[in-house]
Amino acid sequence: MSRIAFIGGGNMAASLIGGLLHKGTPPGGIAVAEPRAEACQELSRRYGVATYTDNLDAVADAGMVVLAVKPQVMAEVCQKLQPAIARQRPLIVSIAAGIRIEQLERWLGGALPVVRCMPNTPAMIGAGATALYANGRVSPPQRAEAQHLLDAAGLTVWVPEEDQLDTVTALSGSGPAYFFLLVEALENAAFAQGLSRETARALAAQTALGAGRMLTESGDPAATLRQKVTSPGGTTQAALESFAADGFNAMVARAVDAARRRGGELSHAMESTK
C-alpha cells in the first residue's frame, strides 16, 4: 500500500484506520490531518499514527489521500490542498456523500484518479457495506488499493456508473436507519402486548442479528429464507399477510425512491458550490 493520508479524523476515518492496522498496514504508513488538537492526541495514542493539524503536512509524500470531511467544507479543503495534489497526483478517495467526482477534480485543480465511495455507519464496527465508483484515470493497482482500504470496514462492491451511488445511498447508506426503525417498532409492539421493555428490546435486536447472519452466511436469497420460516396457516403467515394488506412492499419502494431522489437533489445542490 502507498502511504495514506486521511483528511479528517472523525469516526469513519478512525474505523478505517483501525481496520487497516488490523489487516497489517503499519502505523508509519498512515497520516491523519485533524484540526482539533485533542482528537489528534487521541488518534496518535490509540493507533500510533502520525497526526497533524495542517492538511498540507499530512499529505506530503502520500500516494493516497482520503477525503473524510463534511460535504459543506469539502470545496475549501480541496482548494487549499491544490498545490500538494498537483505535485504528487495521488489517488483521491472520497467518502463524502453528495460530492461528485467532477467537483473534486475541479476543486483540486485538475484531472486526477478519483474513487468515490459510499460507506455506511456499521463500517465503524467492521460490518459496513460500501459501494465504490472509480473514474477512468484510476489504474488497476490504485483500484485494488482503494478496495483494500474499504475492505477494512466490511463488504465492498463496485458500481459501473457514478449516478448509481444515489441508489446505494438510499439502500445501504440510509438502510441501517430502516432496520433500526423496524426493530424499534417490533420492540414497541411487544411492549404493548405485555413484555418488559428490556426483554422486548433484547429479543428484537437479537432477532435482527440472527436474521442478518442467516442472510449473509446461508447463501440463500431473502425470499427463500422467508419461505422457510413461513408455515402455511401459521403465525408468521398471519403477520406477513397483515404486512401485505398494509402495502409493505410499496411503502418500502416509495421510501427508497424518496431517499434516492433526495440524494440526487443534494448532489445537484453541491454542483453549484464554488
Side-chain angles (χ1 to χ4, degrees):
M1 289 286 291
S2 304
R3 184 171 181 271
I4 305 171
F6 285 84
I7 306 302
N11 289 334
M12 192 64 73
S15 69
L16 292 174
I17 293 167
L20 287 170
L21 296 176
H22 180 72
K23 289 198 169 191
T25 300
I30 300 173
V32 187
E34 169 56 53
R36 299 168 298 156
E38 65 277 12
C40 282
Q41 293 171 1
E42 175 60 19
L43 288 164
S44 180
R45 182 196 66 78
R46 185 174 180 183
Y47 299 112
V49 298
T51 59
Y52 305 88
T53 54
D54 189 303
N55 292 347
L56 290 174
D57 290 337
V59 302
D61 301 320
M64 178 192 298
V65 174
V66 182
L67 301 174
V69 299
K70 294 180 179 180
Q72 297 90 330
V73 300
M74 184 66 81
E76 179 183 359
V77 167
C78 287
Q79 287 160 1
K80 290 182 178 179
L81 286 173
Q82 270 193 27
I85 298 302
R87 287 193 305 271
Q88 298 165 213
R89 295 190 57 77
L91 171 65
I92 304 297
V93 178
S94 171
I95 62 173
I99 305 294
R100 301 185 72 82
I101 287 177
E102 181 277 328
Q103 291 172 283
L104 293 171
E105 291 185 298
R106 172 159 38 90
W107 295 334
L108 289 167
L112 294 163
V114 182
V115 171
R116 182 181 164 200
C117 51
M118 185 64 227
N120 61 7
T121 52
M124 291 188 287
I125 59 169
T130 303
L132 304 94
Y133 171 79
N135 70 3
R137 285 175 281 277
V138 176
S139 68
Q142 289 174 324
R143 187 181 176 102
E145 288 190 351
Q147 180 159 350
H148 180 77
L149 169 70
L150 274 302
D151 278 346
L155 173 75
T156 57
V157 299
W158 291 87
V159 295
E161 299 176 8
E162 186 175 9
D163 286 346
Q164 291 182 355
L165 290 177
D166 290 333
T167 301
V168 169
T169 300
L171 174 59
S172 55
S174 299
Y178 312 157
F179 289 97
F180 297 149
L181 178 63
L182 177 58
V183 169
E184 183 183 1
L186 288 170
E187 175 190 330
N188 289 337
F191 177 70
Q193 295 287 340
L195 287 184
S196 71
R197 179 66 69 181
E198 293 74 16
T199 297
R201 180 174 299 134
L203 290 174
Q206 184 63 27
T207 299
L209 174 63
R213 286 191 58 185
M214 289 182 72
L215 280 166
T216 57
E217 296 175 14
S218 71
D220 291 332
T224 299
L225 293 173
R226 173 178 53 78
Q227 291 162 4
K228 287 181 177 179
V229 299
T230 306
S231 301
T235 58
T236 305
Q237 182 174 334
L240 294 178
E241 288 175 351
S242 179
F243 277 134
D246 289 335
F248 180 79
N249 287 343
M251 178 179 64
V252 172
R254 289 193 299 270
V256 171
D257 186 58
R260 180 195 61 79
R261 287 186 284 105
R262 182 56 179 158
E265 291 167 1
L266 292 174
S267 290
H268 288 307
M270 295 300 296
E271 293 274 359
S272 61
T273 303
K274 302 298 182 183

